[in-house]
Amino acid sequence: MKQLEFSTLRIFVAVAEEGSLSGAAEKVHLAIAAVSKRITDLEASSGAALFLRHARGVSLTPAGHALLQHAREILFRIDQMQSDLHQYTPGMKGQLRIASIGTALSQFLPTDLSHFSRAHPNVVIELSELRSTEVIDGVRDGRFDIGIFAATTPHDGLATYPYHSDELCVVVPGDHPLAGRASVRFVDTLEYPYIGQPLGSSLLNTLLAHSAMRLKVRFHVRSGHIFCRMVHEGLGIGVMPAQFTQPHAASMNIRALRLDESWARREIYVGARSEQGLSAPAQEFIGHLRTPDAMR
């Protein structure tokens, strides 16, 4: 196998992650023909087919999966090296890749990002909103430097520490039979149709687990604003973080009831592959977010 260029590995990873040449071309800012040639040359050099071509795009072969694991590790180390070298030039520079669940993005992460960006204007931040399981997988395989996720999601192997906590509440229309209560037990809500989060989200998984799969979900929505709007229109009830719901309650005909359950208080963690292997911008950002609690 001929010596690989790092740029070719980045193109290969982009094709693998996007599942198409066109998607990868847009991501790496190249023409589709150029991406196609790089992949063809890479397959010829490796002596193995790396992708299966089909009508909807491409998928990895077993050889492709093997190369993807190594390519991500190599690129992770290269990015880390470049980021570490930037600390010896005036002003911190580099790239910081963050993946976060929507709950953190809608409540407190934007403020922290704003403060960090003002202090380090030359650090380029790439931010992705994903489900907790996707965040953790992305940090493990090196696609992201830092992940923010629900603590209840299995995260073995990551260095983690507390970031924030929130309180869940039950959101109902203003004229709903439960609207007059200050608090409600979860079991008392299960007879009503629900508006839920996307399938696979940590919050929906929590609700399904505690309802013994009795939850009657009529709609799945990602946006918290749309969720509140649908409750306002009487399309169902649901559970959301109280801190996010409060501003909407002032302008919509909805009521936020305290959820009287021990699991209603949720912990949100920040995680990385390891404490020692962080790039300089990642270390600085974690230091910015970090509570006094030691990493665990």
Side-chain angles (χ1 to χ4, degrees), residues 3 33 45 52 65 68 114 129 169-170 200 225-226 269 286 289:
Q3 186 173 357
S45 174
L52 297 174
H65 279 290
L68 180 62
S114 176
E129 179 183 355
C169 67
V170 177
H225 175 77
I226 293 174
Y269 280 0
I286 282 184
L289 299 183

Side-chain angles (χ1 to χ4, degrees), residues 12 60-71:
F12 166 75
L60 287 167
T61 64
H65 279 290
L67 178 58
L68 180 62
Q69 181 178 355
H70 291 291

Side-chain angles (χ1 to χ4, degrees), residues 142-163:
R143 284 180 287 130
F144 304 108
D145 304 303
I146 294 171
I148 299 172
F149 51 87
T152 54
T153 308
H155 49 269
D156 297 346
L158 296 187
T160 64
Y161 60 93
Y163 175 38

Side-chain angles (χ1 to χ4, degrees), residues 44-93:
S45 174
S46 64
L50 302 174
F51 292 100
L52 297 174
R53 278 73 170 173
H54 44 78
R56 291 191 170 185
V58 297
S59 58
L60 287 167
T61 64
H65 279 290
L67 178 58
L68 180 62
Q69 181 178 355
H70 291 291
R72 282 174 169 165
E73 186 65 30
I74 290 169
L75 295 175
F76 173 77
R77 296 302 177 189
I78 292 297
D79 290 342
Q80 183 184 51
M81 177 190 70
Q82 292 174 338
S83 182
D84 288 345
L85 289 175
H86 280 311
Q87 66 182 306
Y88 297 104
T89 62
M92 179 171 288
K93 301 176 183 178

Side-chain angles (χ1 to χ4, degrees), residues 18 42 69 83 85-86 98 105 108 211 217 241 246 255 275 277 281:
E18 297 297 321
L42 179 59
Q69 181 178 355
S83 182
L85 289 175
H86 280 311
I98 303 172
L105 277 173
F108 27 76
S211 70
V217 182
Q246 288 166 358
R255 300 288 182 271
E275 188 173 6

Side-chain angles (χ1 to χ4, degrees), residues 111-164:
T111 299
D112 289 324
L113 287 171
S114 176
H115 293 163
F116 180 81
S117 295
R118 285 199 295 269
H120 305 288
N122 293 322
V123 174
V124 177
I125 299 175
E126 293 185 3
L127 179 63
S128 300
E129 179 183 355
L130 299 171
R131 298 191 295 265
S132 278
T133 52
E134 296 170 329
V135 170
I136 292 167
D137 288 344
V139 173
R140 280 176 175 155
D141 64 28
R143 284 180 287 130
F144 304 108
D145 304 303
I146 294 171
I148 299 172
F149 51 87
T152 54
T153 308
H155 49 269
D156 297 346
L158 296 187
T160 64
Y161 60 93
Y163 175 38
H164 269 281

Side-chain angles (χ1 to χ4, degrees), residues 108-109 112 161-166 243 266-269 291:
F108 27 76
L109 184 57
D112 289 324
Y161 60 93
Y163 175 38
H164 269 281
S165 62
D166 60 17
Q243 185 176 347
R266 302 190 307 164
E267 299 297 328
I268 297 173
Y269 280 0
T291 68

